[in-house]
Amino acid sequence: EMCRNSAPPPCQNPTYCDNGNTPCLPGWKHLADFSGVKGTGAAPDGDEDSIVGMIIALKAVQSDLVKPIWYDEVREWADRSCTQFLQDNTVLSSSTSHRLLKLGSCWGGWEPQGNNPSYHAPGHFRMMRDFQASIQSRSYTLPSYVNDDSWNNLIDTSYKFLKTTQCP
């Protein structure tokens, strides 16, 4: 519901959830009663944790003979959220040799707004990459940039970024 309340999304275009009608990444700050968004744009630290939580829940029951009633919906939402995450919470360098995690879908990245090492979670990015690679068929067209190379670029850039931010 938080994602649906975040529509129309500033800085998520196109959107992928609810058949393309809803942003997959909720606004970073909501009203206390969750009736609307108070802060603009998605926040990758919360987004990556939420996506990985969905993936873990799916993996926990994927071998069950009878899947929970929520399985297909969560699988679809997790896959589309990975796509939205890569599209709107990361940015390519001008040389296209690096993909950097942004501070939010509306800010951060290579600009002078800076970055935050606590947002980088290369282990989460590996899970998202592997999850998306495991999906055999989709109900939407996966953008061409959503592939192992893009995820690996994000993972490698995150490790490089973390290395530069360590104290000697």
Side-chain angles (χ1 to χ4, degrees):
E1 203 56 37
M2 290 172 67
C3 291
R4 291 180 182 113
N5 286 341
S6 298
C11 314
Q12 291 183 61
N13 189 26
T15 56
Y16 292 99
C17 287
D18 286 339
N19 294 316
N21 296 313
T22 301
C24 299
L25 311 175
W28 74 274
K29 190 172 186 179
H30 285 254
L31 299 172
D33 64 359
F34 294 103
S35 63
V37 177
K38 190 173 182 178
T40 302
D45 53 339
D47 298 335
E48 58 202 22
D49 288 343
S50 298
I51 294 167
V52 165
M54 288 188 281
I55 293 170
I56 289 170
L58 292 164
K59 293 293 183 184
V61 298
Q62 76 179 5
S63 298
D64 291 0
L65 293 177
V66 178
K67 303 279 190 288
I69 194 167
W70 50 262
Y71 186 85
D72 290 335
E73 180 182 3
V74 172
R75 181 183 164 278
E76 176 91 2
W77 199 279
D79 178 43
R80 289 173 180 256
S81 293
C82 289
T83 297
Q84 194 88 65
F85 183 93
L86 193 63
Q87 172 185 286
D88 295 312
N89 278 346
T90 71
V91 62
L92 276 173
S93 64
S94 58
S95 69
T96 70
S97 61
H98 295 91
R99 181 176 287 277
L100 186 66
L101 181 69
K102 296 165 49 178
L103 291 173
S105 58
C106 295
W107 60 91
W110 299 104
E111 292 97 35
Q113 297 167 342
N115 210 290
N116 186 333
S118 72
Y119 283 29
H120 292 260
H124 285 46
F125 307 151
R126 288 175 191 270
M127 287 183 72
M128 290 185 233
R129 176 199 64 199
D130 295 348
F131 173 71
Q132 284 203 294
S134 74
I135 294 178
Q136 301 299 314
S137 66
R138 293 181 164 81
S139 62
Y140 73 107
T141 303
L142 196 64
S144 61
Y145 63 85
V146 179
N147 56 50
D148 283 355
D149 289 340
S150 293
W151 284 111
N152 290 337
N153 196 349
L154 175 61
I155 293 162
D156 293 342
T157 302
S158 289
Y159 280 122
K160 289 175 185 175
F161 176 79
L162 291 170
K163 184 175 180 181
T164 64
T165 59
Q166 291 181 1
C167 296

Coordinates of all heavy atoms in Angstrom, one line a residue, residues 92-155:
L92 N 24.6 5.3 -14.0 CA 25.8 5.0 -14.7 C 26.8 6.2 -14.7 O 26.3 7.4 -14.7 CB 25.6 4.7 -16.1 CG 25.2 3.2 -16.4 CD1 24.8 3.1 -17.9 CD2 26.3 2.3 -16.1
S93 N 28.1 6.0 -14.6 CA 29.0 7.1 -14.8 C 29.0 7.5 -16.3 O 28.5 6.8 -17.1 CB 30.4 6.6 -14.4 OG 30.8 5.5 -15.3
S94 N 29.6 8.7 -16.5 CA 29.6 9.2 -17.9 C 30.3 8.3 -18.8 O 30.0 8.2 -20.0 CB 30.1 10.6 -17.9 OG 31.5 10.6 -17.4
S95 N 31.3 7.6 -18.3 CA 32.0 6.6 -19.2 C 31.3 5.3 -19.3 O 31.7 4.4 -20.1 CB 33.4 6.4 -18.6 OG 33.3 5.6 -17.3
T96 N 30.2 5.1 -18.5 CA 29.4 3.9 -18.4 C 30.2 2.7 -17.9 O 29.7 1.5 -17.9 CB 28.8 3.4 -19.8 OG1 29.8 3.0 -20.7 CG2 27.9 4.6 -20.4
S97 N 31.4 2.9 -17.3 CA 32.2 1.8 -16.7 C 31.8 1.6 -15.3 O 32.3 0.6 -14.7 CB 33.7 2.1 -16.9 OG 34.0 3.3 -16.2
H98 N 31.1 2.4 -14.7 CA 30.7 2.3 -13.3 C 29.2 2.5 -13.1 O 28.6 3.4 -13.7 CB 31.5 3.2 -12.3 CG 32.9 2.9 -12.3 ND1 33.8 3.5 -13.2 CD2 33.6 2.0 -11.6 CE1 35.0 3.0 -13.0 NE2 35.0 2.1 -12.0
R99 N 28.5 1.8 -12.2 CA 27.1 2.0 -11.8 C 27.1 2.3 -10.3 O 27.4 1.4 -9.6 CB 26.3 0.9 -12.2 CG 24.8 1.1 -11.9 CD 23.9 0.0 -12.4 NE 23.7 -0.1 -13.8 CZ 22.8 0.7 -14.4 NH1 22.0 1.5 -13.8 NH2 22.7 0.6 -15.8
L100 N 26.7 3.5 -9.9 CA 26.7 3.9 -8.5 C 25.3 3.9 -7.9 O 24.4 4.3 -8.5 CB 27.4 5.3 -8.4 CG 27.6 5.8 -7.0 CD1 28.7 5.0 -6.3 CD2 28.1 7.3 -7.1
L101 N 25.2 3.4 -6.7 CA 24.0 3.5 -5.9 C 23.8 5.0 -5.6 O 24.7 5.7 -5.2 CB 24.1 2.7 -4.6 CG 22.9 2.7 -3.7 CD1 21.8 1.9 -4.4 CD2 23.2 2.1 -2.4
K102 N 22.6 5.5 -5.8 CA 22.2 6.9 -5.4 C 21.7 7.0 -4.0 O 21.5 6.0 -3.4 CB 21.1 7.4 -6.4 CG 21.6 7.4 -7.8 CD 20.4 7.6 -8.8 CE 19.4 8.6 -8.6 NZ 18.4 8.7 -9.6
L103 N 21.6 8.2 -3.5 CA 21.0 8.4 -2.2 C 19.5 8.2 -2.2 O 18.9 8.1 -1.1 CB 21.4 9.8 -1.7 CG 22.9 10.0 -1.3 CD1 23.1 11.5 -1.0 CD2 23.3 9.1 -0.2
G104 N 18.9 8.3 -3.3 CA 17.5 8.2 -3.5 C 17.1 8.2 -4.9 O 18.0 8.6 -5.7
S105 N 15.9 7.9 -5.3 CA 15.5 7.9 -6.7 C 15.6 9.3 -7.2 O 15.7 9.5 -8.4 CB 14.1 7.3 -6.9 OG 13.2 8.0 -6.1
C106 N 15.5 10.4 -6.4 CA 15.5 11.7 -6.9 C 16.8 12.5 -6.6 O 16.9 13.7 -6.9 CB 14.3 12.5 -6.2 SG 12.7 11.9 -6.6
W107 N 17.8 11.9 -6.0 CA 19.0 12.6 -5.6 C 20.2 11.7 -5.4 O 20.0 10.5 -5.3 CB 18.7 13.5 -4.4 CG 18.4 12.6 -3.2 CD1 19.3 12.1 -2.3 CD2 17.1 12.2 -2.8 NE1 18.6 11.4 -1.3 CE2 17.2 11.4 -1.6 CE3 15.8 12.4 -3.3 CZ2 16.2 10.9 -0.9 CZ3 14.7 11.8 -2.6 CH2 14.9 11.1 -1.4
G108 N 21.3 12.3 -5.4 CA 22.6 11.6 -5.2 C 23.1 10.9 -6.4 O 22.7 11.1 -7.5
G109 N 24.2 10.2 -6.2 CA 24.9 9.6 -7.3 C 26.2 10.3 -7.5 O 27.0 10.5 -6.6
W110 N 26.5 10.7 -8.8 CA 27.8 11.3 -9.1 C 27.8 12.8 -8.9 O 28.8 13.4 -8.9 CB 28.1 11.0 -10.6 CG 28.2 9.5 -10.9 CD1 27.3 8.8 -11.5 CD2 29.3 8.7 -10.5 NE1 27.8 7.5 -11.6 CE2 29.0 7.4 -11.0 CE3 30.5 8.8 -9.8 CZ2 29.8 6.3 -10.8 CZ3 31.3 7.7 -9.7 CH2 31.0 6.5 -10.1
E111 N 26.6 13.4 -8.6 CA 26.5 14.8 -8.4 C 27.2 15.2 -7.1 O 27.6 14.4 -6.3 CB 25.1 15.2 -8.3 CG 24.3 15.1 -9.6 CD 23.5 13.8 -9.7 OE1 23.0 13.3 -8.7 OE2 23.5 13.2 -10.8
P112 N 27.4 16.5 -6.9 CA 28.0 17.0 -5.6 C 27.2 16.7 -4.4 O 27.6 17.1 -3.3 CB 28.2 18.5 -5.9 CG 27.3 18.8 -7.0 CD 27.1 17.6 -7.8
Q113 N 26.0 16.1 -4.5 CA 25.2 15.8 -3.3 C 25.8 14.7 -2.5 O 25.4 14.4 -1.4 CB 23.8 15.4 -3.7 CG 23.0 16.6 -4.4 CD 21.8 16.0 -5.1 OE1 21.6 14.9 -5.3 NE2 20.9 17.0 -5.4
G114 N 26.8 14.0 -3.1 CA 27.6 13.0 -2.3 C 26.9 11.7 -2.3 O 26.0 11.4 -3.1
N115 N 27.4 10.9 -1.4 CA 26.9 9.5 -1.3 C 27.0 9.1 0.2 O 27.6 9.8 1.0 CB 27.7 8.6 -2.2 CG 26.9 7.4 -2.7 OD1 26.6 6.5 -2.0 ND2 26.5 7.5 -4.0
N116 N 26.6 7.9 0.5 CA 26.6 7.4 1.9 C 27.0 6.0 1.9 O 26.3 5.1 1.3 CB 25.2 7.6 2.5 CG 25.2 7.2 4.0 OD1 26.0 6.4 4.4 ND2 24.2 7.8 4.7
P117 N 28.2 5.6 2.5 CA 28.6 4.2 2.4 C 27.7 3.3 3.1 O 27.7 2.1 2.8 CB 30.0 4.3 3.2 CG 30.1 5.6 3.8 CD 29.1 6.5 3.2
S118 N 26.8 3.7 4.0 CA 25.9 2.8 4.7 C 24.8 2.3 3.8 O 24.1 1.4 4.2 CB 25.4 3.5 6.0 OG 24.4 4.5 5.7
Y119 N 24.6 3.0 2.7 CA 23.5 2.5 1.8 C 24.0 1.4 0.9 O 23.2 0.7 0.3 CB 23.1 3.7 0.9 CG 22.2 4.8 1.5 CD1 22.3 5.0 2.9 CD2 21.4 5.5 0.7 CE1 21.5 6.0 3.4 CE2 20.5 6.5 1.3 CZ 20.6 6.7 2.7 OH 19.8 7.6 3.2
H120 N 25.3 1.2 0.7 CA 25.8 0.2 -0.3 C 25.7 -1.2 0.4 O 26.2 -1.4 1.5 CB 27.2 0.6 -0.6 CG 27.3 1.8 -1.5 ND1 27.5 1.8 -2.8 CD2 27.3 3.1 -1.1 CE1 27.5 3.0 -3.3 NE2 27.4 3.8 -2.3
A121 N 25.1 -2.1 -0.3 CA 24.9 -3.4 0.2 C 25.1 -4.4 -1.0 O 24.2 -5.0 -1.5 CB 23.5 -3.6 0.7
P122 N 26.4 -4.6 -1.3 CA 26.7 -5.5 -2.5 C 26.2 -6.9 -2.3 O 25.8 -7.6 -3.3 CB 28.2 -5.5 -2.6 CG 28.7 -4.8 -1.4 CD 27.6 -4.0 -0.8
G123 N 26.0 -7.4 -1.1 CA 25.4 -8.7 -0.9 C 24.0 -8.7 -1.3 O 23.5 -9.7 -1.9
H124 N 23.3 -7.7 -1.0 CA 21.9 -7.5 -1.4 C 21.8 -7.5 -2.9 O 20.9 -8.1 -3.5 CB 21.3 -6.2 -0.8 CG 20.9 -6.3 0.6 ND1 21.8 -6.8 1.6 CD2 19.8 -5.8 1.3 CE1 21.2 -6.6 2.8 NE2 20.0 -6.1 2.6
F125 N 22.7 -6.7 -3.5 CA 22.7 -6.6 -5.0 C 22.9 -8.0 -5.7 O 22.3 -8.3 -6.7 CB 23.7 -5.6 -5.5 CG 23.6 -4.2 -4.8 CD1 24.7 -3.4 -4.7 CD2 22.4 -3.8 -4.3 CE1 24.6 -2.2 -4.0 CE2 22.3 -2.5 -3.7 CZ 23.4 -1.8 -3.5
R126 N 23.8 -8.8 -5.1 CA 24.0 -10.2 -5.6 C 22.7 -11.0 -5.5 O 22.4 -11.7 -6.4 CB 25.1 -10.9 -4.8 CG 26.5 -10.3 -5.0 CD 27.5 -11.0 -4.1 NE 28.8 -10.4 -4.1 CZ 29.8 -10.7 -4.9 NH1 29.6 -11.7 -5.8 NH2 30.9 -10.1 -4.9
M127 N 22.0 -10.8 -4.4 CA 20.7 -11.6 -4.2 C 19.7 -11.1 -5.3 O 19.0 -12.0 -5.9 CB 20.2 -11.4 -2.8 CG 20.9 -12.2 -1.8 SD 20.1 -12.0 -0.2 CE 18.7 -13.0 -0.4
M128 N 19.6 -9.8 -5.5 CA 18.7 -9.3 -6.5 C 19.1 -9.8 -7.9 O 18.2 -10.3 -8.7 CB 18.7 -7.8 -6.5 CG 18.0 -7.2 -5.3 SD 17.9 -5.4 -5.4 CE 18.6 -4.9 -3.9
R129 N 20.4 -9.8 -8.2 CA 20.9 -10.3 -9.5 C 20.5 -11.7 -9.7 O 20.0 -12.1 -10.7 CB 22.4 -10.1 -9.6 CG 23.0 -10.7 -10.9 CD 24.5 -10.9 -10.7 NE 24.8 -11.9 -9.7 CZ 26.0 -12.1 -9.1 NH1 27.0 -11.3 -9.4 NH2 26.1 -13.0 -8.2
D130 N 20.8 -12.6 -8.7 CA 20.6 -14.0 -8.8 C 19.1 -14.3 -8.9 O 18.7 -15.2 -9.6 CB 21.3 -14.7 -7.7 CG 22.8 -14.6 -7.7 OD1 23.4 -14.2 -8.8 OD2 23.4 -15.0 -6.7
F131 N 18.3 -13.6 -8.1 CA 16.9 -13.8 -8.1 C 16.3 -13.5 -9.5 O 15.6 -14.3 -10.1 CB 16.2 -12.9 -7.1 CG 14.7 -12.9 -7.1 CD1 14.0 -14.0 -6.8 CD2 14.0 -11.8 -7.6 CE1 12.6 -14.0 -6.8 CE2 12.6 -11.8 -7.7 CZ 11.9 -12.9 -7.3
Q132 N 16.7 -12.3 -10.1 CA 16.2 -12.0 -11.4 C 16.7 -13.0 -12.5 O 15.9 -13.4 -13.4 CB 16.6 -10.6 -11.8 CG 15.7 -9.5 -11.1 CD 15.7 -8.2 -11.8 OE1 16.7 -7.6 -11.9 NE2 14.5 -7.9 -12.3
A133 N 17.9 -13.5 -12.4 CA 18.4 -14.4 -13.3 C 17.7 -15.8 -13.2 O 17.6 -16.5 -14.2 CB 19.9 -14.6 -13.1
S134 N 17.1 -16.1 -12.1 CA 16.4 -17.4 -11.9 C 15.0 -17.4 -12.4 O 14.4 -18.5 -12.6 CB 16.3 -17.7 -10.4 OG 15.4 -16.9 -9.7
I135 N 14.5 -16.2 -12.8 CA 13.1 -16.2 -13.3 C 13.0 -16.6 -14.8 O 13.7 -16.0 -15.6 CB 12.5 -14.8 -13.0 CG1 12.4 -14.6 -11.5 CG2 11.1 -14.6 -13.7 CD1 11.9 -13.2 -11.1
Q136 N 12.2 -17.6 -15.0 CA 12.1 -18.1 -16.4 C 11.2 -17.4 -17.3 O 11.4 -17.3 -18.5 CB 11.7 -19.6 -16.3 CG 12.7 -20.5 -15.5 CD 14.1 -20.5 -16.1 OE1 14.2 -20.6 -17.3 NE2 15.1 -20.3 -15.3
S137 N 10.1 -16.9 -16.8 CA 9.1 -16.1 -17.6 C 8.6 -15.0 -16.8 O 8.4 -15.1 -15.6 CB 8.0 -17.0 -18.1 OG 7.2 -17.5 -17.0
R138 N 8.3 -13.9 -17.5 CA 7.8 -12.7 -16.8 C 6.5 -12.2 -17.5 O 6.3 -12.5 -18.7 CB 8.8 -11.5 -16.9 CG 10.0 -11.8 -16.1 CD 11.0 -10.6 -16.3 NE 12.0 -10.7 -15.2 CZ 13.0 -11.5 -15.3 NH1 13.3 -12.2 -16.3 NH2 13.9 -11.5 -14.3
S139 N 5.7 -11.4 -16.8 CA 4.5 -10.9 -17.4 C 4.8 -9.5 -18.0 O 3.8 -8.8 -18.3 CB 3.4 -10.8 -16.4 OG 3.8 -10.0 -15.3
Y140 N 6.0 -9.1 -17.9 CA 6.4 -7.7 -18.5 C 7.7 -7.9 -19.2 O 8.4 -8.9 -19.0 CB 6.5 -6.7 -17.4 CG 7.7 -6.8 -16.5 CD1 8.8 -5.9 -16.6 CD2 7.8 -7.8 -15.5 CE1 9.9 -6.0 -15.7 CE2 8.9 -7.9 -14.6 CZ 9.9 -7.0 -14.8 OH 11.0 -7.1 -13.9
T141 N 8.0 -6.9 -20.0 CA 9.3 -7.0 -20.8 C 10.4 -6.4 -19.9 O 10.3 -5.2 -19.5 CB 9.2 -6.2 -22.1 OG1 8.1 -6.7 -22.9 CG2 10.4 -6.2 -22.9
L142 N 11.4 -7.2 -19.7 CA 12.6 -6.8 -18.9 C 13.4 -5.8 -19.8 O 13.7 -6.1 -20.9 CB 13.4 -8.0 -18.5 CG 14.4 -7.8 -17.4 CD1 13.7 -7.5 -16.1 CD2 15.2 -9.1 -17.3
P143 N 13.7 -4.6 -19.3 CA 14.5 -3.7 -20.0 C 15.9 -4.3 -20.3 O 16.4 -5.1 -19.5 CB 14.6 -2.4 -19.1 CG 13.5 -2.6 -18.1 CD 13.2 -4.0 -18.0
S144 N 16.4 -3.9 -21.4 CA 17.7 -4.5 -21.9 C 18.9 -4.3 -20.9 O 19.8 -5.1 -20.8 CB 18.1 -4.0 -23.3 OG 18.3 -2.6 -23.2
Y145 N 18.8 -3.2 -20.1 CA 19.9 -2.9 -19.2 C 19.8 -3.8 -17.9 O 20.8 -3.8 -17.1 CB 20.0 -1.4 -18.8 CG 18.7 -1.0 -18.1 CD1 18.6 -1.1 -16.8 CD2 17.7 -0.4 -18.8 CE1 17.4 -0.7 -16.1 CE2 16.5 0.0 -18.2 CZ 16.4 -0.2 -16.8 OH 15.2 0.2 -16.2
V146 N 18.7 -4.4 -17.7 CA 18.6 -5.3 -16.5 C 19.2 -6.7 -16.9 O 18.5 -7.5 -17.5 CB 17.1 -5.4 -16.0 CG1 17.1 -6.3 -14.8 CG2 16.6 -4.0 -15.7
N147 N 20.4 -6.8 -16.5 CA 21.1 -8.1 -16.8 C 22.3 -8.3 -15.8 O 22.5 -7.4 -15.0 CB 21.7 -8.1 -18.3 CG 22.5 -6.9 -18.5 OD1 23.5 -6.6 -17.8 ND2 22.2 -6.1 -19.6
D148 N 22.9 -9.4 -15.9 CA 24.0 -9.7 -15.0 C 25.1 -8.6 -15.0 O 25.7 -8.3 -14.0 CB 24.6 -11.1 -15.2 CG 23.8 -12.2 -14.7 OD1 22.7 -12.0 -14.0 OD2 24.1 -13.4 -15.0
D149 N 25.4 -8.2 -16.2 CA 26.5 -7.2 -16.4 C 26.2 -5.9 -15.6 O 27.0 -5.3 -14.9 CB 26.7 -6.8 -17.8 CG 27.4 -8.0 -18.6 OD1 28.0 -8.8 -17.9 OD2 27.3 -8.0 -19.8
S150 N 24.9 -5.4 -15.7 CA 24.5 -4.2 -14.9 C 24.6 -4.4 -13.4 O 25.1 -3.6 -12.7 CB 23.1 -3.8 -15.3 OG 23.1 -3.3 -16.7
W151 N 24.1 -5.6 -13.0 CA 24.2 -5.9 -11.6 C 25.6 -6.0 -11.1 O 26.0 -5.5 -10.1 CB 23.4 -7.1 -11.2 CG 21.9 -6.9 -11.2 CD1 21.0 -7.4 -12.1 CD2 21.1 -6.2 -10.2 NE1 19.7 -7.0 -11.7 CE2 19.8 -6.3 -10.6 CE3 21.5 -5.5 -9.1 CZ2 18.8 -5.7 -9.9 CZ3 20.5 -4.8 -8.4 CH2 19.1 -4.9 -8.8
N152 N 26.4 -6.7 -11.9 CA 27.9 -6.8 -11.5 C 28.6 -5.5 -11.5 O 29.4 -5.3 -10.7 CB 28.5 -7.8 -12.5 CG 28.1 -9.2 -12.3 OD1 27.6 -9.6 -11.2 ND2 28.2 -10.0 -13.4
N153 N 28.2 -4.6 -12.4 CA 28.8 -3.3 -12.4 C 28.5 -2.6 -11.1 O 29.3 -1.9 -10.5 CB 28.3 -2.5 -13.7 CG 29.1 -1.3 -14.0 OD1 29.9 -0.9 -13.2 ND2 28.8 -0.7 -15.2
L154 N 27.2 -2.7 -10.7 CA 26.8 -2.0 -9.4 C 27.5 -2.6 -8.3 O 28.0 -1.9 -7.4 CB 25.3 -2.2 -9.2 CG 24.7 -1.7 -7.9 CD1 25.0 -0.2 -7.7 CD2 23.2 -2.0 -7.8
I155 N 27.7 -4.0 -8.2 CA 28.4 -4.7 -7.2 C 29.8 -4.2 -7.1 O 30.4 -3.8 -6.1 CB 28.2 -6.2 -7.3 CG1 26.8 -6.6 -7.1 CG2 29.2 -6.9 -6.4 CD1 26.5 -8.0 -7.7

